[in-house]
């Protein structure tokens, strides 16, 4: 619909109307032979009706002259998976990579504008404007939205990997709401990762991303117990999925053998260090700190620097980590004061820790994390 109309908003509205019509008619009349073609035809008709009502025929004449769609005219998929095909289609290189990723997450990933804004660490209003500008650029420049041929896939791969990665992150650690884990999102990201690897088996970063997601997902069952967040050091490791860990390790080794390291492979190596440690005390924090230092050469972001500081604190003491944390600036990001609070607590500086826990609580949007921070605040305030 976006490719047909060249307009994201109109395509979304018409498609929603088509699904509404299907929900009303199919239970009564039966499911059509080709549901996809029925939805496309209905959505196009609704779009044309809307254009007529809005009296913009002069600008949209080409739409009215387009021949009607029939079931036989709907193209067969050129990808092994329709959702992945759409992700590649939406990640158009005419847009900046960040705009590609944000627009695809909004259009296909089902993430809200506030969720996407939190993923990019920008205000909601800023992200809303970026999405509007991206849609306007597509419309005004007449950027074609069609399935890219095979030779164009590598140019879109980085954006596609970012979409899958951020979709998994929102599922693994939801940025807001009552539930920390949104399993439907993380499961869909893993599914897309598997299809992506089957499509591009010699792309080491695609393989590395799938390894990373599996190694993280293996710990999912132990992260929240009775609605309470359980930190990595306190998790019941018998609840970790050994099969997923083994699969992740195998994928990581396969990716590293390709000889082209990248940020997803480094993150997968960090996750593997955690997943294969028999106990918290046996975790190789020095190696993890070294891997984070390597990751910062690929992704020089303050969030990676914050994670690096945590690893340094675990390897060399909380004072060393605190020095690194104090040099960071992440306005509005609750994990910065939360991390500072934890390091201060470990150093026995409870009054300062309490102040930082309160600062984190003023910013946190996840209820599970809020309850965890409140518990820590009570500890240092007792």
């Amino acid at each position: 619909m976006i490719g047909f109309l060249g307009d994201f908003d109109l395509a979304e509205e018409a498609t929603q109307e088509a699904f509404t019509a299907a929900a009303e008619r199919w239970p009564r009349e039966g499911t059509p032979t080709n549901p996809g073609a029925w939805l496309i035809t209905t959505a196009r008709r609704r779009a044309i009706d809307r254009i007529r009502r809005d009296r913009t025929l002069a600008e949209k004449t080409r739409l009215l002259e387009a021949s009607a769609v029939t079931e036989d005219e709907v193209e067969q998929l050129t990808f092994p998976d329709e959702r992945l095909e759409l992700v590649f289609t939406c990640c158009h290189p005419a847009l900046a990579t960040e705009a590609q990723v944000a627009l695809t997450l909004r259009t296909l990933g089902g993430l809200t504008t506030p969720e996407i804004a939190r993923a990019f660490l920008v205000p909601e209003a800023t992200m809303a404007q970026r999405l509007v500008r991206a849609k306007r650029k597509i419309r005004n420049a007449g950027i074609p939205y069609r399935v890219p041929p095979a030779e164009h896939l590598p140019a879109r791969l980085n954006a596609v990997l970012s979409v899958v990665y951020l979709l998994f992150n929102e599922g693994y650690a939801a940025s807001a709401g009552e539930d920390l884990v949104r399993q439907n999102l993380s499961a869909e990201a893993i599914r897309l990762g598997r299809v992506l690897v089957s499509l591009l088996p010699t792309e080491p970063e695609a393989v590395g991303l799938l390894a990373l997601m599996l190694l993280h997902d293996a710990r999912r069952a132990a992260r929240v117990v009775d609605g309470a967040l359980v930190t990595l050091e306190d998790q019941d490791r018998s609840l970790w999925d050994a099969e997923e860990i083994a699969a992740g390790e195998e994928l990581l080794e396969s990716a590293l053998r390709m000889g082209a390291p990248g940020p997803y492979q480094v993150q997968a190596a960090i996750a593997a260090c955690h997943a294969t440690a028999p106990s918290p005390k046996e975790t190789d924090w020095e190696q993890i700190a070294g891997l984070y230092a390597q990751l910062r050469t690929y992704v020089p972001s303050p969030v990676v620097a914050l994670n690096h500081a945590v690893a340094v604190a675990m390897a060399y003491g909380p004072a060393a980590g605190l020095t690194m944390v104090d040099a960071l600036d992440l306005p509005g990001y609750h994990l910065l004061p939360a991390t500072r609070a934890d390091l201060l607590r470990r150093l026995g500086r409870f009054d300062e820790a309490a102040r930082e826990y309160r600062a984190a609580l003023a910013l946190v949007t996840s209820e599970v994390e809020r309850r965890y921070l409140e518990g820590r605040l009570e500890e240092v305030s007792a």
Side-chain angles (χ1 to χ4, degrees), residues 3-24:
F4 173 64
L5 295 167
D7 186 316
F8 266 80
D9 293 327
L10 181 56
E12 187 173 31
E13 291 169 5
T15 303
Q16 287 173 345
E17 291 180 9
F19 274 102
T20 300
E24 293 172 351

Side-chain angles (χ1 to χ4, degrees), residues 18 68 71 74 80 83 136 163 165 176 192 204-205 227 233 236 238 256 260 268 270 285 305 337 356 358 360 362:
E71 293 186 7
V74 177
R83 177 66 65 86
R136 186 183 299 131
V163 168
Y165 176 64
L192 289 173
E205 280 291 82
E233 60 186 333
D236 180 355
S238 68
L256 293 174
I270 293 169
W285 282 106
E356 294 298 327
R358 292 189 188 98

